[in-house]
Amino acid sequence: MAINMVNSVEELMKKLKISGYPDRWNLFNERLKESFVGYGGIYPGREYILELHEKYRLFDNTLDEVLDAAEKLKSFPELMQYILLLDLAMEDRESFKREIGALEVPSFSPGEDPAPYDFALLFTLLSKIPRIDSVLKERGVPTDIRFATHTAYEECLKGYKRKTDRYGFDKRYFNWIQRYIDVTILRVGRLNIEMRSMFKGPVYVLENQKGERLMMMTGVRLHRDGMVLGIPGYEDDEGSFDASFVQTEEYFEGHLVGKNGRALKERTKLPVSDWRIVLSPEDPVLSVHIPAGEKLTPELCEESYKRSAEVISKCFPEFRFKAFVCFSWLMDPQLADMLPPDSNIVTFQNKYMRFPTYSSGRGAITFVFFDRYERLEDLPERTTLERSIKRHYLSGKYIYEPGGVFFI
Ligand SMILES: CC(C)(COP(=O)(O)OP(=O)(O)OC[C@H]1O[C@@H](n2cnc3c(N)ncnc32)[C@H](O)[C@@H]1OP(=O)(O)O)[C@@H](O)C(=O)NCCC(=O)NCCS
């Protein structure tokens, strides 16, 4: 069979109408050809996908769609070569992570079948899965967690479907899966738990001898109402202030975070003799992510926190996390005014000490309404939460994505 092959990465990108790509990728001219020829001009083949699926149980609910897209992809040799190019580009993790923000992905033209394009980014990831699995195995990660972690690809396919009515993968999911390639995330029961080497939240957490904890803001400019300046609804800089955190031999000084999750305008001093830092922005933490799906019951969450702390301490002993953190629309204290106090979401967020962070104000729109609606007026009202969020946005307010932290 003749292999329909481009001569260079430059030619490939021209054919795919991709205007910008990193210079580094031109180094792959030869390896790209070798790889395409090596696969006989078809990637990923049906047998290859079936073998991966059987070994790692990847696509329990979507196997037919994945195989169908791979079959259709056979008529798109350039797209196949793009998939193999990304596969090569991803090998150098640090370089690729710098490049990923500007990644241009080919998309279908009107009248074309979207399936090969919808699945292209998923297919770039397949070859990484055996190595991810070996690392998890070598680390002694329990089998159920290992297989649960491999459901991430299908979770993304389903998430894409909620937005577009078609299974597939977009750049957001592709970025998300980079954590799996770096083996810094595990699915532990109800939650995804990411080993985040630096917390990077704009707060220090301090603790006194009685075990009481307070948070002091750092490194951001704050709106006069105690939110991070510049987020939607808090753009007006009149009365704004810098959240500088000062540490001397005698005291810590800065802007405390109040019970409502907002920073206080006045500065406070806490004596070093009574208080110590238990979490700083540079510390390693476990970052909690909440996959869509079953209810977020307190029992499932507690089980997941406990087990992930145990498994990560045992299997990744060098990762000495200081706390659990979460950055999500689910952390917004305003949700407590919209939902019953014993609802899963309110119980979930109450476990965390909340603090202000940069927020797009779009998290709830993405995760409740899947970015499907252009106009706020068209948002559906099928649940208590949907009704309240819609009313909230229609009155010009936002749900933010604050940070939260707790210690185990
Ligand atoms: C997290 C999640 C599982 C919580 O759901 P839950 O356990 O049902 O939460 P609660 O019991 O507190 O829900 C209270 C009410 O809000 C509704 N609700 C909760 N999450 C909702 C969502 N994402 N979309 C629409 N309605 C939702 C519930 O149906 C319930 O309404 P009802 O009483 O009219 O039935 C759910 O929001 C979800 O699947 N989210 C998508 C994933 C996500 O947001 N991850 C975080 C990314 S940063």
Side-chain angles (χ1 to χ4, degrees):
M1 190 190 72
I3 294 180
N4 200 341
M5 194 160 60
V6 294
N7 284 313
S8 65
V9 169
E10 194 182 352
E11 184 190 331
L12 175 64
M13 294 313 207
K14 258 197 201 129
K15 285 197 168 168
L16 291 167
K17 300 191 183 67
I18 290 181
S19 52
Y21 67 95
D23 275 349
R24 183 177 77 91
W25 296 8
N26 290 319
L27 297 173
F28 297 127
N29 284 342
E30 289 314 310
R31 285 188 64 200
L32 178 59
K33 278 186 225 168
E34 279 164 27
S35 157
F36 198 40
V37 172
Y39 285 112
I42 291 179
Y43 184 83
R46 182 183 169 84
E47 293 311 313
Y48 179 67
I49 294 174
L50 284 172
E51 193 187 316
L52 287 177
H53 171 65
E54 265 158 40
K55 266 195 177 152
Y56 309 113
R57 303 180 207 155
L58 300 175
F59 306 119
D60 278 350
N61 302 300
T62 53
L63 184 62
D64 288 345
E65 286 80 1
V66 175
L67 291 172
D68 181 53
E71 184 61 31
K72 289 174 174 163
L73 185 64
K74 286 181 183 168
S75 316
F76 294 80
E78 280 91 24
L79 196 50
M80 277 197 251
Q81 287 165 89
Y82 176 86
I83 290 167
L84 289 172
L85 175 65
L86 242 59
D87 182 319
L88 292 171
M90 263 189 278
E91 282 176 2
D92 177 346
R93 302 300 303 142
E94 291 317 307
S95 301
F96 189 71
K97 281 189 271 184
R98 281 194 298 276
E99 295 160 353
I100 198 169
L103 185 73
E104 282 185 45
V105 184
S107 64
F108 61 98
S109 312
E112 245 183 328
D113 186 341
Y117 294 91
D118 284 341
F119 283 76
L121 288 176
L122 168 71
F123 291 155
T124 68
L125 302 164
L126 295 181
S127 74
K128 313 296 181 213
I129 297 170
R131 196 196 51 84
I132 298 170
D133 191 68
S134 314
V135 175
L136 295 174
K137 251 190 193 154
E138 279 159 23
R139 290 282 187 164
V141 172
T143 311
D144 63 320
I145 294 183
R146 199 154 51 79
F147 283 112
T149 302
H150 295 321
T151 62
Y153 313 94
E154 185 163 76
E155 284 297 321
C156 295
L157 293 174
K158 289 180 181 170
Y160 185 85
K161 189 169 187 201
R162 284 185 204 105
K163 183 176 173 190
T164 62
D165 293 328
R166 308 187 306 268
Y167 287 114
F169 237 78
D170 59 14
K171 266 183 68 171
R172 185 163 72 91
Y173 292 119
F174 181 71
N175 282 344
W176 164 250
I177 293 293
Q178 299 303 311
R179 295 165 168 86
Y180 291 78
I181 299 180
D182 292 331
V183 200
T184 56
I185 189 161
L186 298 175
R187 174 78 188 249
V188 186
R190 180 66 187 87
L191 303 169
N192 281 317
I193 306 291
E194 179 190 0
M195 292 171 265
R196 184 166 158 137
S197 58
M198 264 199 225
F199 163 46
K200 287 191 184 160
V203 285
Y204 283 88
V205 183
L206 300 140
E207 189 180 87
N208 67 8
Q209 281 107 349
K210 288 189 234 156
E212 293 162 337
R213 297 192 186 107
L214 291 171
M215 290 183 286
M216 270 187 182
M217 298 296 298
T218 181
V220 281
R221 192 157 178 85
L222 290 157
H223 183 271
R224 61 179 177 278
D225 290 341
M227 299 291 268
V228 169
L229 184 68
I231 66 172
Y234 293 93
E235 286 115 338
D236 158 24
D237 66 1
E238 198 187 317
S240 63
F241 52 101
D242 276 326
S244 62
F245 175 82
V246 175
Q247 179 177 358
T248 71
E249 282 179 7
E250 282 112 52
Y251 57 81
F252 301 105
E253 188 198 315
H255 297 273
L256 288 174
V257 180
K259 289 255 180 291
N260 57 2
R262 293 172 180 239
L264 308 183
K265 187 144 197 190
E266 64 279 11
R267 291 177 71 78
T268 302
K269 279 186 186 176
L270 299 173
V272 167
S273 51
D274 293 344
W275 295 84
R276 66 185 181 102
I277 295 175
V278 287
L279 183 68
S280 68
E282 297 77 31
D283 283 332
V285 287
L286 294 180
S287 178
V288 175
H289 301 273
I290 306 93
E294 54 183 318
K295 301 284 282 181
L296 193 65
T297 64
E299 296 74 24
L300 289 176
C301 294
E302 290 304 320
E303 202 179 297
S304 180
Y305 298 140
K306 185 165 169 281
R307 186 146 187 241
S308 54
E310 282 165 12
V311 168
I312 290 167
S313 303
K314 183 164 162 277
C315 304
F316 299 85
E318 74 286 6
F319 188 79
R320 304 174 75 87
F321 57 90
K322 295 276 182 68
F324 279 85
V325 304
C326 183
F327 295 88
S328 170
W329 69 277
L330 293 167
M331 286 289 124
D332 192 325
Q334 297 177 101
L335 295 172
D337 302 328
M338 301 180 175
L339 291 169
D342 59 350
S343 63
N344 290 331
I345 291 179
V346 174
T347 310
F348 176 77
Q349 62 169 226
N350 279 342
K351 186 173 179 80
Y352 293 75
M353 297 167 74
R354 257 73 59 71
F355 55 85
T357 52
Y358 286 105
S359 287
S360 65
R362 287 206 55 86
I365 300 291
T366 301
F367 288 101
V368 176
F369 302 109
F370 317 117
D371 292 323
R372 285 181 78 109
Y373 307 91
E374 298 264 317
R375 291 161 11 111
L376 292 174
E377 290 77 4
D378 298 334
L379 295 176
E381 300 181 40
R382 294 160 299 203
T383 65
T384 323
L385 185 68
E386 287 183 348
R387 254 188 311 283
S388 310
I389 292 182
K390 179 173 178 179
R391 216 173 307 134
H392 194 71
Y393 274 82
L394 279 173
S395 68
K397 296 186 215 150
Y398 296 83
I399 298 293
Y400 297 101
E401 301 92 51
V405 53
F406 76 85
F407 295 81
I408 205 157

